[in-house]
Each structure stands twice: as structure tokens, then as C-alpha cells.
Amino acid sequence: SSSFYLLKNAEMDFMQEASEEDKRHVREMIIDLVMATDMSKHFEILSQGKLLLTAREPRAGIKVANENFLRRQSQGSQGRAGVQFEEEIRLGDVERALILRIAMKCADFNHAFQDFECHEKWSSRVVEEFCQQGDKELLEGYEPTGMFDRKSLSEMSIAKSQAAFLDIVVIPLFELLAELLPATSPMLDQVRLNSSLWKSSYSSSSGRSVSRTFSRSPTFGNSKSS
């Protein structure tokens, strides 16, 4: 909503010369893609993508388009690659929108396909965000549980949860994207590597508390930070 508000400023409205129909289409598409990142829809979108791959005609079109795309790429030809891909694949609006949702969801997990050092850093920030929510719940008289309970976390528990998240949620999504768009396969390889590195870390971990990283006292309400 903030983005659409900014577009009211003529200096920021990159679509001011577009037709009202195009503006409406872009707005609807942006809203649809943002809503696709809602985790409650994750497995539904994943299932829809798998059905797309099993459909005979779309699957054949995807295969031919990908082969042509990779051939042009190896020959150093760019040009209208994206347009050519769409023309060759002959997908309808529904299929095209689904592939965009899948790509958007992968982008939403972008730190998962970064090198492990970067991925670990962002994972730690997510854990800290959960801990801060747990701190607030504690101040309001509730007992935080799981990843929200700062006191219960250890290096081993965090590593296990991160590996499980990648294996159950992220990797199947990137496997689907790689089937649709083989050029994205290196991202899948990195996600798999990150998962194996998490597993290596907890198999060699002694389960030490991560209090040195996540032991800050609650800083909400009238409490003073330590």
C-alpha cells in the first residue's frame, strides 16, 4: 500500500504514461504476488505448480522453451529472450500468473540461496525477531514457546529448525522453479548446500546455549534494556 501511495507523486509514478487498463493490470498483479508470499498459501501454490508440470501440453512447451533459452544463452544471444520464452511456451494467463507467484515466493526466501555466511546472518536476524516477539509476550503475561522462547534456544535447536525449514518448505519450492526455469538450478544447489551445512553444524554441536547471541532482556514497555 505504501508503494501505491508513493506512486501518487508524479516524480515517482513510473507508469504515468501507461493506460488506465495497464495500470489496473499492474496493480492487480502486484497485489496478487504480494499475497502469494503468505505462508498459509505455500503448499497450495506448490501443488498447483506440480500440477502445471504434469499437464502434458504446458510441460512440453516449458521443455522446448527452456532448451531454446539455454541454447541462445550458450551462444551469447540475449535480445528478446524473455519475450521469445513466453511465445514458445504458449502459456495462458493463469499459468503465467502461477509461475510469477512461484518466482516471487523464491525471491521472498532470497537469503536461503545466498552463501552460507550471508544466509546464517539473516537467519539469525529472523530468530532474533521471533525472540523479541516472545519477549513482548512474556511482558504481557504469556509464556512464549518454541523459537519465540529465548531461554530455550541452543545452537543445536536453531540449526535443526533451519535445516528442517529448508528441507520441508524451501527446497521443494526451488526444485519446482528449477524444473520450470533450469537456469535457476544454481540457486537450488546453494539452498541444498546451506541445508547440509546446518546439519553438519548441529551434528558437531554440543548443544551449547546461544545466550551470547540471543540473551538480551526484554526491551518492550517500560522495561529497561540490560
Side-chain angles (χ1 to χ4, degrees), residues 12-146:
M12 300 181 181
D13 185 7
F14 63 91
M15 293 191 63
Q16 54 186 311
E17 296 183 6
S19 67
E20 289 304 313
E21 181 180 357
D22 285 343
K23 288 180 180 179
R24 183 167 57 255
H25 173 70
V26 170
R27 179 185 175 86
E28 290 173 354
M29 182 175 64
I30 290 174
I31 292 174
D32 179 70
L33 293 176
V34 171
M35 295 300 292
T37 62
D38 184 342
M39 284 303 297
S40 68
K41 299 180 179 179
H42 176 80
F43 292 103
E44 176 186 352
I45 292 174
L46 194 62
S47 296
Q48 291 172 350
K50 290 178 179 178
L51 285 174
L52 176 62
L53 285 173
T54 59
R56 183 175 178 180
E57 291 184 6
R59 184 180 179 87
I62 290 168
K63 183 176 184 295
V64 171
N66 278 316
E67 289 173 349
N68 291 340
F69 172 77
L70 293 173
R71 185 179 65 255
R72 288 193 300 270
Q73 191 178 53
S74 66
Q75 295 171 348
S77 173
Q78 298 295 328
R80 298 166 65 249
V83 176
Q84 288 172 328
F85 183 90
E86 185 173 322
E87 290 173 348
E88 292 165 357
I89 203 168
R90 291 184 175 84
L91 290 177
D93 291 342
V94 174
E95 292 86 356
R96 188 182 302 110
L98 176 58
I99 293 175
L100 284 172
R101 291 186 198 113
I102 293 167
M104 182 67 173
K105 287 179 63 59
C106 288
D108 196 39
F109 295 137
N110 69 86
H111 71 80
F113 59 82
Q114 305 300 323
D115 64 83
F116 187 74
E117 182 180 357
C118 178
H119 166 59
E120 184 180 29
K121 181 184 298 183
W122 281 100
S123 296
S124 296
R125 289 171 177 172
V126 171
V127 172
E128 175 58 29
E129 182 180 347
F130 288 169
C131 286
Q132 288 188 17
Q133 180 175 327
D135 294 342
K136 187 173 182 180
E137 292 174 358
L138 194 61
L139 287 173
E140 293 178 353
Y142 300 98
E143 189 65 32
T145 60

Side-chain angles (χ1 to χ4, degrees), residues 146-209:
M147 294 292 289
F148 297 89
D149 183 10
R150 191 184 296 274
K151 299 187 300 298
S152 69
L153 296 180
S154 68
E155 290 180 351
M156 183 179 293
S157 67
I158 290 174
K160 283 185 175 181
S161 66
Q162 293 300 324
F165 179 72
L166 293 181
D167 288 349
I168 297 170
V169 176
V170 182
I171 289 178
L173 183 67
F174 277 84
E175 287 175 338
L176 178 59
L177 183 68
E179 283 199 73
L180 290 166
L181 304 170
T184 64
S185 294
M187 293 191 291
L188 171 61
D189 294 339
Q190 184 63 49
V191 179
R192 286 172 171 163
L193 175 60
N194 288 340
S195 175
S196 67
L197 290 172
W198 281 118
K199 292 169 184 174
S200 296
S201 71
Y202 70 68
S203 64
S204 60
S205 172
S206 61
R208 297 186 302 275
S209 168

